[in-house]
Amino acid sequence: MAIKRLVMKFGGTSVGSGERIRGVAEIVKAHRARETVVVVSAMSTVTNQLVDVAQEAINGITEEDIKDFARRLKEKHARAIRVAVAREHQGPPLQEVERLSTELEKVLVGISYVGELTPRSMDYVLSFGERMSAPILSGALKSQGIESSWFSGYEAGIVTDSSFGKANPLWAKTNRKIKRVLGRRTERGEVPVVTGFVAGDEKGRITTLSRGGSDFSAAIIGSALKADEIWIWTDVDGVYTTDPRMVKQARTIDVISFAEAMELAYFGARVLHPKTIEPAMEKDIPVRVRNTFKPEHRGTLIVREQKKIKEIVKAVTVLDDCALLTISGVGMIGVPGVAARVFTALAAEKVNIMMISQGSSEVNISLVVEKGDLNRAIRTIKKTFPGKDIVKDVTYDKDIAVIAVIGAGMRGTKGVAARVFRAAADAGVNVLMIAQGSSEVNISFVVAAKDAKKGVVALHKEFIAE
Ligand code: ASP
Ligand code: MG
């Protein structure tokens, strides 16, 4: 099926320099569909620099330092303009970058005078990265003979609540406005360039969608316009079968479902901002992850439902920033509600529980939590069950890792668990705890940290590639 309507998002490294921005414009030219919208991140490292300078502003940097920062940021972007944009189109982006750097300087000086950095002013500061990169890419497109103008996420139609730092779109308004603003332009054959990550609340105050949120911006726009596909251009070939730094046989996955991608994201393989999937899934819009530096590579396609699944297991991942917590006591046997009390208390303390298992003997409950939550979890359980009547011991192990085997093809396939644990055993990996989600999309198990790599290598070999 030919793609008629396409949203393409380019991440920070993809627009990291003038040369790269020019390369992105060439990619857009080569791949554009009849109707195309481009979403862009800030040039790489810029958002982090903005976070730092905003924090320094309240810790008493001088006005000179602020001026210096704004000037350097302006120069970085001006340099990119001179490389990426043909001379006759340089005027508007240069003026915009100039105007924004003056505005940023004033904002930072203001923050330094007040000595207070609210989430709202932080969002305002962070918005400058994308607001400076979008005009450049738009100019670069014009230089390729493509009709284009740039928009902030808010101008483009993304209206959010006022949760600064992690704003949520108000969908009805957003969908309507995006169609009105962008839809009309794409129908005329223009390619609008929209700032990722940045939006605005109902009062028009700048909000952001949380770090890495440009992917989400692309999904919001794609879903409002009912795009045929959303392409996330990044700096890797796609979604990998496992961490290529750990296993050299790792390769990219051709097609994966949203459900599998969500499991993967949960187990730490962060390819997409987690909120990206929801709007795309709801409107059944496939998302393709591609590499800007290897545009000939087809990348990974993420779809709602896969017709024919060839592979039983799609990916093997490992999560190592976690700890195993075991609650035990013969007093727990036959006492209803112990598990409920454990989970309620931990939830109230915002401890994220990643895995649970209870043997039928009921003598203990094992949990995997994030390492950072471990002490809080222990304290909470001891407070919830004072004395030794019910819970006698709370023990933990910090030197563990969770290995997760992911694939919708495991659903209904007999003998997968047996193969998983045989492979682990043959590799000399001792399994400390097991859990399988009832969706059967993943089997995960806990091993000693020192065994993690061995386990992943063995499972990847068993199911994916020699
Ligand atoms: N520039 C923002 C960030 O670094 C948003 C993004 O890159 O998606 O978090
Ligand atoms: Mg980014």
Side-chain angles (χ1 to χ4, degrees), residues 358-372:
Q358 178 175 30
S360 58
S361 73
E362 295 183 56
V363 183
N364 55 53
I365 298 176
S366 298
L367 308 171
V368 175
V369 298
E370 280 172 30
K371 235 178 218 162

Side-chain angles (χ1 to χ4, degrees), residues 9 12 41-42 47 130 197 210-215:
K9 175 260 171 175
S41 291
T47 310
E130 274 75 5
F197 175 58
S210 86
R211 293 302 306 274
S214 297
D215 297 344

Side-chain angles (χ1 to χ4, degrees), residues 327-332 338 341 378-394:
I327 306 165
S328 55
V330 277
M332 301 192 330
V338 175
R341 280 169 67 193
I378 296 172
R379 249 183 287 124
T380 307
I381 291 163
K382 290 197 166 149
K383 211 165 69 203
T384 311
F385 300 98
K388 303 263 176 197
D389 301 343
I390 301 176
V391 171
K392 187 155 166 290
D393 280 317
V394 182

Side-chain angles (χ1 to χ4, degrees), residues 213 254 348 421:
D254 294 332
F421 295 112

Side-chain angles (χ1 to χ4, degrees), residues 264-411:
L264 265 174
Y266 183 80
F267 288 103
R270 177 116 182 221
V271 232
L272 287 180
H273 188 279
K275 285 189 180 166
T276 310
I277 289 176
E278 208 181 280
M281 190 157 70
E282 198 168 298
K283 297 271 171 69
D284 197 6
I285 304 172
V287 174
R288 193 183 281 281
V289 178
R290 304 187 68 155
N291 190 347
T292 322
F293 305 101
K294 257 195 241 168
E296 69 288 352
H297 196 293
R298 290 186 53 74
T300 297
L301 187 68
I302 313 175
V303 297
R304 184 151 76 183
E305 210 148 359
Q306 215 179 327
K307 302 270 151 31
K308 272 197 257 66
I309 305 176
K310 289 194 305 273
E311 317 89 332
I312 299 174
V313 170
K314 289 273 178 65
V316 181
T317 68
V318 57
L319 195 66
D320 48 19
D321 211 19
C322 43
L324 178 64
L325 187 65
T326 302
I327 306 165
S328 55
V330 277
M332 301 192 330
I333 300 175
V335 179
V338 175
R341 280 169 67 193
V342 169
F343 298 129
T344 310
L346 291 177
E349 290 297 320
K350 301 215 165 19
V351 171
N352 188 18
I353 301 173
M354 320 183 76
M355 272 171 80
I356 301 167
S357 108
Q358 178 175 30
S360 58
S361 73
E362 295 183 56
V363 183
N364 55 53
I365 298 176
S366 298
L367 308 171
V368 175
V369 298
E370 280 172 30
K371 235 178 218 162
D373 287 351
L374 177 65
N375 290 334
R376 197 150 27 96
I378 296 172
R379 249 183 287 124
T380 307
I381 291 163
K382 290 197 166 149
K383 211 165 69 203
T384 311
F385 300 98
K388 303 263 176 197
D389 301 343
I390 301 176
V391 171
K392 187 155 166 290
D393 280 317
V394 182
T395 55
Y396 66 86
D397 186 346
K398 283 206 255 192
D399 297 316
I400 60 142
V402 176
I403 296 177
V405 178
I406 294 163
M410 298 195 293
R411 202 180 284 148

Side-chain angles (χ1 to χ4, degrees), residues 118-128 163-167 197 206-209:
T118 60
R120 177 176 160 195
S121 36
M122 187 59 140
D123 275 3
Y124 189 7
V125 173
L126 293 191
S127 73
F128 284 88
S163 311
F164 297 100
K166 47 171 179 357
F197 175 58
I206 290 175
T207 57
T208 67
L209 304 173

Side-chain angles (χ1 to χ4, degrees), residues 36-55:
T36 303
V37 176
V38 168
V39 175
V40 69
S41 291
M43 292 177 77
S44 56
T45 74
V46 168
T47 310
N48 286 341
Q49 289 177 42
L50 290 165
V51 171
D52 292 344
V53 78
Q55 263 145 10

